[in-house]
Amino acid sequence: MSDLDVRPATEADLSALVRLRDDAARWMLARGITGQWRPGELDEDHFRRVMAGGDGEVWLAEVGGRAVGGWELWWEDEAAWGPQPPVAGYVHRLMVDRSTAAPGTGRLLLSAAERRVAEAGRTCVRLDCLEGNAQLNAYYQDAGYRAVGRKEGKPQPGGAPPKSFTLREKDLAYST
């Protein structure tokens, strides 16, 4: 998909990020995937905090000026992984607009995140996936993310009850 433009998100993108997140949550719920995300769970302030915090980035993907996807990239994730040496980037909230994005967009976004992690001099990408979401776990496994552990009772945004997650990791072969 040569017309996919991936860039760091800005303040002007906050409403698009919230829309992407809420639409992805509605898509999951419509397919019986419960317990993962809920519409309205994250607002503009959430994405603003990640962008301003210094230990995370928010990325947006566009086609023809329309937001079709996004994700967060963190440089540490002690809530899920505990204290770790600085060897990984942590992908969170991978979101794709299913109504406009071409098939395969999610994989392109993952590849972009992996390149960014490699550019930062880190050697692997980590993420966590709701343990009970078989479809999403299979998706990440097919993308090369192996299960390396499990996190019980991880705190959730907005005060939602803690959940259990599969910890997944992919070694990078990119050269910087």
Side-chain angles (χ1 to χ4, degrees):
M1 183 185 311
S2 61
D3 55 348
L4 185 70
D5 178 38
V6 176
R7 62 175 176 76
T10 68
E11 180 83 15
D13 301 317
L14 293 172
S15 64
L17 290 162
V18 171
R19 178 190 58 79
L20 284 166
R21 175 61 162 59
D22 285 350
D23 287 351
R26 282 188 278 280
W27 181 90
M28 285 184 221
L29 291 172
R31 280 148 189 82
I33 302 169
T34 60
Q36 184 80 34
W37 292 351
R38 296 182 318 251
E41 193 172 41
L42 300 179
D43 59 13
E44 290 184 5
D45 285 340
H46 165 83
F47 293 104
R48 186 179 289 117
R49 280 191 303 274
V50 174
M51 289 189 295
D55 45 345
E57 302 172 356
V58 181
W59 288 80
L60 190 73
E62 296 175 314
V63 173
R66 174 164 171 78
V68 297
W71 73 91
E72 293 177 18
L73 181 59
W74 301 359
W75 299 113
E76 62 181 40
D77 185 1
E78 286 193 25
W81 293 81
Q84 296 286 321
V87 298
Y90 300 84
V91 173
H92 286 276
R93 293 176 241 304
L94 183 69
M95 310 169 280
V96 174
D97 182 340
R98 302 259 181 186
S99 67
T100 60
T105 298
R107 290 284 178 91
L108 292 174
L109 300 185
L110 272 177
S111 292
E114 292 163 5
R115 281 191 302 277
R116 172 67 184 115
V117 170
E119 289 167 1
R122 306 234 175 160
T123 58
C124 67
V125 178
R126 294 178 177 149
L127 52 84
D128 56 69
C129 183
L130 187 66
E131 194 169 61
N133 189 335
Q135 183 179 356
L136 195 55
N137 272 288
Y139 176 83
Y140 286 124
Q141 183 164 328
D142 290 347
Y145 287 80
R146 69 187 185 285
V148 296
R150 158 172 218 255
K151 173 65 178 175
E152 295 288 338
K154 180 182 168 194
Q156 296 301 294
K163 300 174 185 173
S164 297
F165 288 81
T166 300
L167 302 177
R168 296 190 164 276
E169 182 176 273
K170 181 177 183 177
D171 293 324
L172 298 177
Y174 295 108
S175 56
T176 53

